[in-house]
């Protein structure tokens, strides 16, 4: 701390270079923070899957949303040993006002659905939802994203689907917090999919019976008009997220490249700054400062600059993610304190790695040669 005034004076010496360094680090930290927030969303989706729940989809479909199984299958599923409850869910992907605003709509038999999935209505009335044919329960994340309020009449682009917000809910299943729940009969009528579901949710007695019950259900339905593929809810979510995982892999490569460029940019900035201050370093050495102290001043300067850039990057990411938007309308974007600390650590690391080599070279320069250098 005793060298802080000198460090601040050095930072303000060339403000343009300082601002460029801060901007570079901010960009890097912003990208890192956003990616880590997406990864946290992936983890939350998968980890919130029910340990004793199965999903039954139509076999051999390219996209899970295009799956259609007949509601008549529920009686066969219910008769399968080990099954304690089941219901059908009719899902659709809609847009609100523009194609960028994706809404996951789920038509459910509410009484059966909430016996398998926790639904806590935080605003509004269950009675209002039950008594209205077009009533809707909106997940808290979805309501925050689009600013929907109780009693609001909302129209989606596809199928001229219109509903009235009867309640806002939360669930232990992170995915459901981004859903719009409608009466299955109403959605089926609008979509002309009466008697069908996108998939069935099935509860088994214990997590240990997930695999054998899955095989039994598929065997029982093998000769039906649409054979099924049954798997744990966790596996089903991971399969739905497959395309997003590929995007995340590409983003990870971009982040590594961004970090590398930031480190090289910081190193270049430090090197130029040190060259301009060779005579100053010589004067400090002649006044009795040791090599270690010179190195501390140079490292402190650029770690401080990088930390400021990191703070700005985190603040920008926080402001963006505060909108409550989700990736593809499905994957929540979650910014945790751990993510912010990780991003700030990367910022400090950029400053250290960028400054260490030029700083060591400057601290080792000979006093006489440094004093001969012209400013």
């Amino acid at each position: 701390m005793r060298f802080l005034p000198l460090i601040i004076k050095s930072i303000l010496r060339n403000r343009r270079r300082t601002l460029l360094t801060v901007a570079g680090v901010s960009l890097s930290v912003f990208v890192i923070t956003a990616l880590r927030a997406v990864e946290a969303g992936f983890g939350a989706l998968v980890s919130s899957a029910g340990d004793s729940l199965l999903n039954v989809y139509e076999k051999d479909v390219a996209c899970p949303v295009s799956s259609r199984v007949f509601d008549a299958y529920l009686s066969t599923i219910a008769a399968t040993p080990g099954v304690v409850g089941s219901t059908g869910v009719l899902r659709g992907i809609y847009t609100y006002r523009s194609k960028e605003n994706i809404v996951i709509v789920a038509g459910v038999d509410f009484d059966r659905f909430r016996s398998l999935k926790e639904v806590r209505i935080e605003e509004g009335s269950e009675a209002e939802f039950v008594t209205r044919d077009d009533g809707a329960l909106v997940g808290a994340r979805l309501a925050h994203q689009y600013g929907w309020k109780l009693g609001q009449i909302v129209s989606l682009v596809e199928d001229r689907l219109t509903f009235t917000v009867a309640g806002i809910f939360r669930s232990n299943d992170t995915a459901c917090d981004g859903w719009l729940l409608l009466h299955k009969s109403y959605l089926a009528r609008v979509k002309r999919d009466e008697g069908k579901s996108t998939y069935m949710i099935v509860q088994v007695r214990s997590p240990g019976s997930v695999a054998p019950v899955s095989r039994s259900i598929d065997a029982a339905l093998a000769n039906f008009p649409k054979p099924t593929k049954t798997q744990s809810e966790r596996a089903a979510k991971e399969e739905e997220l497959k395309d997003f995982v590929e995007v995340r892999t590409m983003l990870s490569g971009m982040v590594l490249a961004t970090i590398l460029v930031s480190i090289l940019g910081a190193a270049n900035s430090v090197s130029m700054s040190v060259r301009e201050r060779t005579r100053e370093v010589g004067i400090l050495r002649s006044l009795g400062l040791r090599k270690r102290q010179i190195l501390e001043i140079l490292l402190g300067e650029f770690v401080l600059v990088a930390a400021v850039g990191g703070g700005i990057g985190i603040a920008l990411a926080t402001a963006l993610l505060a909108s409550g938007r989700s990736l593809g309308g499905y994957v929540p974007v979650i910014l945790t304190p751990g993510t912010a600390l990780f991003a700030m650590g990367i910022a400090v690391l950029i400053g250290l790695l960028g400054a260490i080599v030029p700083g060591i070279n400057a601290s080792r320069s000979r006093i006489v040669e440094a004093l001969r250098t012209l400013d």
Side-chain angles (χ1 to χ4, degrees):
M1 293 297 294
R2 56 178 173 168
F3 296 122
L4 185 59
L6 182 59
I7 290 174
I8 294 176
K9 182 179 179 180
S10 298
I11 290 174
L12 298 177
R13 175 189 296 269
N14 192 322
R15 297 182 182 181
R16 179 181 298 177
R17 183 174 298 131
T18 298
L19 290 175
L20 289 175
T21 304
V22 168
V25 176
S26 298
L27 174 62
S28 177
V29 170
F30 172 82
V31 174
I32 294 167
T33 304
L35 178 64
R36 294 277 295 189
V38 172
E39 289 178 342
F42 276 91
L45 276 182
V46 175
S47 64
S48 65
D51 293 333
S52 301
L53 293 180
L54 306 176
N55 287 173
V56 183
Y57 284 89
E58 180 184 354
K59 188 178 181 181
D60 298 327
V61 292
C63 177
V65 179
S66 65
S67 165
R68 288 295 182 272
V69 290
F70 296 109
D71 291 339
Y73 289 10
L74 286 171
S75 59
T76 301
I77 292 172
T80 304
V83 172
V84 297
S86 60
T87 189
V89 177
L90 180 62
R91 256 176 46 181
I93 298 178
Y94 288 77
T95 55
Y96 175 59
R97 293 183 176 175
S98 68
K99 63 181 180 180
E100 290 81 15
N101 298 327
I102 297 176
V103 179
I104 305 296
V105 178
V108 299
D109 180 329
F110 187 62
D111 287 335
R112 287 188 174 187
F113 182 80
R114 68 176 175 180
S115 70
L116 304 178
K117 292 283 187 181
E118 181 180 6
V119 177
R120 305 187 304 275
I121 298 177
E122 297 189 339
E123 298 181 41
S125 166
E126 178 182 331
E128 180 73 11
F129 169 66
V130 171
T131 56
R132 292 190 66 102
D133 186 47
D134 68 340
L137 295 179
V138 183
R141 187 172 71 248
L142 183 64
H144 174 65
Q145 179 171 342
Y146 297 129
W148 292 341
K149 305 297 182 182
L150 293 177
Q152 182 176 345
I153 299 175
V154 181
S155 295
L156 303 182
V157 175
E158 295 78 10
D159 297 330
R160 297 181 180 177
L161 180 60
T162 301
F163 59 88
T164 301
V165 179
I168 296 173
F169 75 93
R170 290 189 184 274
S171 173
N172 287 347
D173 187 336
T174 305
C176 291
D177 281 351
W179 286 7
L180 170 69
L181 299 183
L182 296 177
H183 295 289
K184 188 169 182 290
S185 57
Y186 176 68
L187 182 62
R189 187 166 64 250
V190 171
K191 292 177 66 64
R192 299 179 181 178
D193 268 332
E194 289 91 343
K196 299 176 185 177
S197 295
T198 304
Y199 67 101
M200 310 295 186
I201 302 177
V202 180
Q203 185 173 21
V204 298
R205 286 197 177 91
S206 67
S209 60
V210 165
V213 172
S214 296
R215 291 192 293 268
S216 297
I217 291 173
D218 288 340
L221 298 172
N223 295 321
F224 280 60
K226 290 188 176 184
T228 58
K229 175 184 178 181
T230 305
Q231 56 189 339
S232 69
E233 187 173 72
R234 183 182 297 269
K237 285 187 176 182
E238 289 176 343
E239 189 167 302
E240 283 194 35
L241 294 171
K242 180 174 61 177
D243 292 338
F244 291 115
V245 170
E246 294 176 358
V247 172
R248 183 177 61 171
T249 300
M250 291 188 294
L251 287 176
S252 297
M254 294 174 62
V255 166
L256 290 176
T258 302
I259 293 174
L260 180 59
V261 170
S262 296
I263 292 174
L264 293 176
N268 180 65
S269 178
V270 174
S271 297
M272 294 178 66
S273 179
V274 169
R275 282 196 298 270
E276 291 177 353
R277 294 157 52 194
T278 302
R279 183 177 177 82
E280 177 186 325
V281 170
I283 294 174
L284 293 175
R285 290 285 309 280
S286 67
L287 293 175
L289 268 69
R290 298 179 180 179
K291 295 179 181 180
R292 177 178 58 82
Q293 293 172 322
I294 298 294
L295 181 60
E296 288 177 2
I297 293 172
L298 295 175
L299 289 179
E301 175 181 338
F302 285 91
V303 167
L304 180 58
V305 169
V308 170
I312 293 174
I314 293 172
L316 291 174
T318 302
L320 177 65
L321 302 179
S323 65
R325 300 191 68 84
S326 55
L327 182 62
Y330 185 68
V331 181
V333 182
I334 303 173
L335 181 58
T336 64
T339 295
L341 289 175
F342 175 83
M344 182 57 74
I346 291 295
V348 172
L349 181 64
I350 290 173
L352 283 173
L353 294 180
I356 189 69
V357 174
I360 290 175
N361 291 336
S363 65
R364 289 179 176 177
S365 62
R366 298 179 62 182
I367 298 176
V368 173
E369 293 179 354
L371 291 174
R372 288 176 178 172
T373 303
L374 296 176
D375 288 333

